[in-house]
Amino acid sequence: MAVTEGLTPALPPAELPPMDAAGRADRLRARLGDSGCDALVVTNLTNVRYLTGFTGSAGIVLVTPDELLFVSDGRYRDQSAEELGAAGVDARIEIVAANPDGVVADAAAAAGVQRLGLESGSVTWAQQRRWQGELFADGTLVPTDGLVEDLRLVKDPGEAVRIRAACAIADAALAALRDRLLDGPTEAEFALELDNEMRALGAADVSFETIVASGPNGAKPHHRPGGRRVVEGDLVVIDFGALVDGYHSDMTRTVAVG
């Protein structure tokens, strides 16, 4: 398939090179002391996936100096074991019917944690009050900011391959469909075709809602594709991206029609 020079064509997920997920918890542990906490509760699902490889919608991770604890519910019993195992992550997995926060708090207390970090960007005020008043009342809660996100800034080779593959898929999808603009599709029709083409080329999903803004709509940075038909002479702004194994591309192209 045609891709921009230097981009890596997408590989099937099974053929993507491994990422260094197993070493991430240790790199996080090295940062805990400077943040004033003995352990960290990770609730941001993107950070949970980064540390464990888990892709589900419900999971909490406790990182202590000696252990990684992953807690989820019965929907993810098999999936969590499979994904953490495939990522090479050494973790204790607890599957509970209710109160995963309580399981995490009990584990922190059992490990002798006195200062427990919470991700300030993903914990609500109500959750913080519950942790302080009920779950971890005998210890000290420490708000943390960007502990995992700072690690995520530096990509390992496996991550870089996924990002390049996501770029290649998006680029190839637009190359395959660009001439369709000459047929006068509506913005919504072209956006749908572009989304489907990215999936057909191997994307797990789109990165965000695709923007197709034709003619005067190009002046709206976050225009939602609608019923306006593309006509000869239009400039069409296309903002789109592909998702490959958790990693996104994001590109904007402006096409002159005719």
Side-chain angles (χ1 to χ4, degrees), residues 1-53:
M1 67 184 175
V3 297
T4 299
E5 182 179 356
L7 292 182
T8 304
L11 296 171
E15 298 179 21
L16 290 169
M19 297 180 286
D20 184 25
R24 292 168 180 168
D26 282 340
R27 292 197 293 275
L28 177 58
R29 289 184 179 104
R31 297 171 55 86
L32 294 181
D34 291 340
S35 297
C37 55
D38 308 317
L40 178 67
V41 178
V42 181
T43 49
N44 178 303
L45 283 175
T46 301
N47 292 342
V48 169
R49 179 170 184 171
Y50 179 77
L51 293 171
T52 66

Side-chain angles (χ1 to χ4, degrees), residues 71-202:
V71 181
S72 188
D73 60 60
R75 295 172 296 168
Y76 296 114
R77 181 193 60 190
D78 296 339
Q79 179 180 331
S80 60
E82 291 169 0
E83 290 183 335
L84 270 68
V89 173
D90 182 15
R92 175 162 63 96
I93 299 175
E94 291 282 351
I95 301 299
V96 298
N99 194 27
D101 290 349
V103 173
V104 169
D106 290 345
V113 173
Q114 298 296 317
R115 300 170 301 165
L116 183 62
L118 299 181
E119 294 181 297
S120 59
S122 63
V123 175
T124 67
W125 175 245
Q127 290 169 329
Q128 188 275 340
R129 292 188 66 184
R130 181 168 179 258
W131 275 94
Q132 187 67 74
E134 177 184 343
L135 299 176
F136 204 67
D138 295 331
T140 301
L141 294 178
V142 179
T144 68
D145 184 24
L147 278 180
V148 182
E149 288 84 352
D150 287 349
L151 294 177
R152 288 168 43 201
L153 289 174
V154 180
K155 308 303 183 187
D156 66 40
E159 292 177 286
V161 166
R162 285 158 174 80
I163 295 170
R164 292 171 68 84
C167 292
I169 285 174
D171 191 67
L174 182 59
L177 293 177
R178 187 170 50 209
D179 288 349
R180 266 284 288 137
L181 293 170
L182 296 170
D183 299 333
T186 67
E187 296 169 339
E189 288 169 345
F190 188 78
L192 179 60
E193 291 179 28
L194 185 57
D195 291 351
N196 289 338
E197 184 69 13
M198 286 189 285
R199 290 186 174 93
L201 291 172

